[in-house]
Amino acid sequence: MAWGKKKRCSSNGGLMRLMVVMAVLLSGLWCVSCEREKEKETEKSRRNAYATMMYVGTPRDYEFYVAIRVLLKSLATLDAQADRVVIASLDVPPRWIRALEKEDGAKVVRVENLENPYKHQDNFDKRFKLSLNKLYAWSLVEYDRVVMLDADNLFLHNTDELFQCGQFCAVFINPCVFHTGLFVLQPSMAVFKDMVHELENGRENPDGADQGFIASYFPELLDKPMFYPPSNGTRLDGTYRLPLGYQMDASYYYLKLRWSIPCGPNSVITFPGAPWLKPWYWWSWPVLPLGIQWHDKRRQTLGYGAEMAVILIQSAIYLGIIAMTRFARPSLSKLCYRRSDKSISLVQNTLKLVALWSILAAYTTPFFIIPHTVHPLLGWPIYLLGVFALCSVAINAFLLPMLPVLMPWFGIVGVLMVMAFPWYSDGVVRALCVFGYAFCAAPFVWASMTRIMTGLHQSLEREAFLPRIGGESSPPSWFNKLY
């Protein structure tokens, strides 16, 4: 009896061990299958790419380098399931290349600059001299689809569905001409070589840049159907127009749309307008209210460590200037001494000119020395501090009235507050408020200029500062006390 129980227990134990072994084997097979599925999914996702281009040779190379890094990092934060590629010319600094590869996880493709045969056109803009490097996107044949991007795109949502589009897809911002700030393409060496051949043959190009060339290469896109991504994830063939939401012009912010276009997605903002109002410039906000959104992206991704040292140094210099002008008050009497009536007029006019130019320099110099890509909430305070510091030098050097000299300073603060007001119903109301403020402020600015000229003239005419000598050969004894 005991032997039978022992036999049954042994049988049950063997069955349990067999079941455990089977479970382990099944779980192992399941894990292997999952890993293979993940590898296939990763391989599939990596057959697509978001690409942009970088070249050097313009005064704004660093600004575009920063913009490209923010673009790449924003795509990463949106969990874009595709490679991020930078088509960089051979003369891009190696330290920039290392940062793009190691810090931003981008794949950098080095290329030679394509010669621009349109650079002698009358309407050619020199800043687009190397923009034809964008054609290298068609040479990325290791990818099935490439979304080619300009650096001035701001992504609001993931746009991986664009990889389902056809051989060429673009957005018509202009009613008749599509925009090349974002387009989808199927890489092909045959197409790339044909494009280069067309360049060599001098294909007609209205603007001499990539925009005009690509638009002339795909002239029938306007007649093509609109792209809507298939729900089953399949990839389409042919050419398509992309919905406007994939390239929302920044000017739409000023309308009632507020980034909400009723037809199609609302995914990407582009800034194709004035070159000096790109979103990464600190002065673009609040001139362009949306500029702060780009800087929010940079703050969340790249940060501002590169500019902070310069900002701190400038702040210290401006505070030092304010302190020195507060405790050392120079007077005009130590600057000149007139000996004849003929020289009096010349000296007075010269000093008036110098005083006016010093005030103008006080308002313009800080603008140009602040790092262009710093955050607006740092850029504007540093600018206002710099203007105040330099104006204090002019005020104390020429004994000018303080309030009239600083009236434009108060005007700038006021207009910034008017433009930054967040509760306008639409852009038209905002523009009317800005014009209304300018209309009301203009008389005060004019009165301040008049008061500055009057005060300067009175200072120059004071006997205590510039005594009238006439025919005397030596200045009076009390004049020497000024020294």
Side-chain angles (χ1 to χ4, degrees):
M1 190 71 176
W3 179 82
K5 290 182 179 179
K6 185 177 180 179
K7 185 176 181 180
R8 285 197 297 272
C9 291
S10 176
S11 300
N12 291 336
L15 182 61
M16 290 295 295
R17 286 194 296 271
L18 180 61
M19 292 178 65
V20 169
V21 171
M22 292 293 293
V24 170
L25 289 175
L26 289 174
S27 62
L29 291 174
W30 182 79
C31 290
V32 171
S33 177
C34 289
E35 289 297 326
R36 288 180 178 177
E37 288 295 328
K38 289 181 179 179
E39 291 177 0
K40 289 181 180 180
E41 187 65 27
T42 302
E43 182 181 355
K44 181 179 179 181
S45 66
R46 292 299 182 257
R47 285 162 55 188
N48 301 315
Y50 289 97
T52 187
M53 67 173 176
M54 177 185 294
Y55 52 82
V56 297
T58 70
R60 302 191 297 162
D61 291 338
Y62 177 76
E63 285 86 346
F64 277 91
Y65 161 69
V66 172
I68 287 172
R69 293 196 64 187
V70 173
L71 173 66
L72 295 174
K73 286 184 176 292
S74 66
L75 286 171
T77 58
L78 291 173
D79 196 28
Q81 297 300 306
D83 282 350
R84 288 163 287 153
V85 178
V86 178
I87 302 172
S89 59
L90 296 176
D91 49 3
V92 172
R95 66 182 185 279
W96 291 3
I97 299 297
R98 288 193 296 271
L100 292 169
E101 291 178 334
K102 295 181 180 180
E103 299 179 27
D104 303 331
K107 177 181 178 182
V108 179
V109 179
R110 307 302 297 272
V111 298
E112 295 183 358
N113 291 323
L114 286 176
E115 181 67 22
N116 193 321
Y118 310 104
K119 57 187 177 183
H120 300 299
Q121 290 183 181
D122 294 336
N123 64 337
F124 182 71
D125 192 331
K126 292 182 179 179
R127 60 194 176 100
F128 297 129
K129 180 180 178 180
L130 300 176
S131 64
L132 290 173
N133 285 1
K134 188 176 290 186
L135 303 184
Y136 277 111
W138 273 271
S139 69
L140 302 176
V141 292
E142 63 269 34
Y143 299 107
D144 291 334
R145 292 290 187 274
V146 171
V147 176
M148 189 65 195
L149 303 165
D150 282 349
D152 58 354
N153 283 301
L154 177 63
F155 280 74
L156 304 180
H157 304 289
N158 185 301
T159 59
D160 285 353
E161 70 273 8
L162 287 173
F163 297 120
Q164 297 177 243
C165 202
Q167 279 69 36
F168 184 80
C169 310
V171 179
F172 280 83
I173 294 180
N174 182 301
C176 300
V177 180
F178 62 82
H179 188 236
T180 57
L182 179 151
F183 58 88
V184 185
L185 65 107
Q186 179 181 4
S188 167
M189 285 304 298
V191 174
F192 174 69
K193 292 179 180 179
D194 186 61
M195 286 181 164
V196 174
H197 179 70
E198 292 291 326
L199 283 178
E200 295 172 349
N201 289 343
R203 185 187 187 92
E204 184 179 357
N205 187 343
D207 58 9
D210 63 287
Q211 173 72 56
F213 180 84
I214 297 175
S216 69
Y217 197 86
F218 297 96
E220 299 178 354
L221 187 64
L222 184 61
D223 300 324
K224 301 301 180 180
M226 187 71 70
F227 165 73
Y228 295 102
S231 57
N232 59 1
T234 58
R235 184 177 287 115
L236 302 176
D237 289 321
T239 56
Y240 293 86
R241 291 178 292 121
L242 293 177
L244 188 60
Y246 289 113
Q247 277 281 267
M248 293 182 288
D249 191 302
S251 61
Y252 291 135
Y253 181 91
Y254 306 107
L255 304 176
K256 293 183 179 180
L257 296 176
R258 296 279 182 167
W259 307 137
S260 180
I261 297 175
C263 53
N266 295 278
S267 301
V268 187
I269 305 168
T270 189
F271 301 81
W276 289 106
L277 283 179
K278 295 297 185 182
W280 47 83
Y281 294 127
W282 61 264
W283 60 82
S284 68
W285 181 87
V287 179
L288 294 178
L290 49 92
I292 202 71
Q293 298 183 32
W294 187 92
H295 280 281
D296 285 342
K297 288 284 187 181
R298 176 176 179 176
R299 179 178 53 81
Q300 297 166 8
T301 56
L302 191 60
Y304 293 89
E307 290 91 351
M308 287 307 299
V310 179
I311 292 298
L312 293 175
I313 292 172
Q314 290 188 15
S315 301
I317 291 174
Y318 291 145
L319 292 174
I321 291 174
I322 294 173
M324 286 190 297
T325 55
R326 177 66 180 84
F327 295 107
R329 297 175 179 271
S331 68
L332 284 173
S333 59
K334 297 182 180 181
L335 299 179
C336 60
Y337 176 78
R338 61 191 184 187
R339 289 185 176 275
S340 66
D341 291 338
K342 183 177 180 180
S343 64
I344 291 172
S345 177
L346 177 61
V347 169
Q348 287 183 345
N349 291 332
T350 301
L351 289 176
K352 287 180 181 179
L353 187 61
V354 170
L356 293 177
W357 274 104
S358 66
I359 296 173
L360 180 62
Y363 279 92
T364 56
T365 302
F367 182 87
F368 291 103
I369 64 177
I370 296 173
H372 292 174
T373 55
V374 75
H375 196 284
L377 296 182
L378 287 175
W380 280 113
I382 294 299
Y383 169 75
L384 294 172
L385 178 64
V387 170
F388 184 86
L390 298 181
C391 281
S392 66
V393 174
I395 290 169
N396 288 283
F398 297 97
L399 301 181
L400 298 174
M402 177 177 288
L403 184 60
V405 174
L406 292 178
M407 184 59 68
W409 189 91
F410 289 108
I412 293 173
V413 173
V415 76
L416 290 176
M417 295 177 64
V418 172
M419 288 190 292
F421 186 73
W423 294 290
Y424 293 115
S425 59
D426 56 63
V428 176
V429 174
R430 179 179 183 271
L432 290 175
C433 290
V434 172
F435 282 120
Y437 174 84
F439 179 80
C440 295
F444 293 95
V445 175
W446 177 258
S448 68
M449 293 298 296
T450 304
R451 182 68 184 87
I452 290 171
M453 295 302 298
T454 302
L456 184 60
H457 183 75
Q458 291 175 351
S459 297
L460 292 171
E461 289 296 328
R462 289 173 184 169
E463 291 292 333
F465 292 104
L466 288 174
R468 190 177 297 276
I469 304 304
E472 297 177 355
S473 59
S474 62
S477 60
W478 57 264
F479 183 80
N480 295 326
K481 296 179 180 179
L482 297 174
Y483 295 88

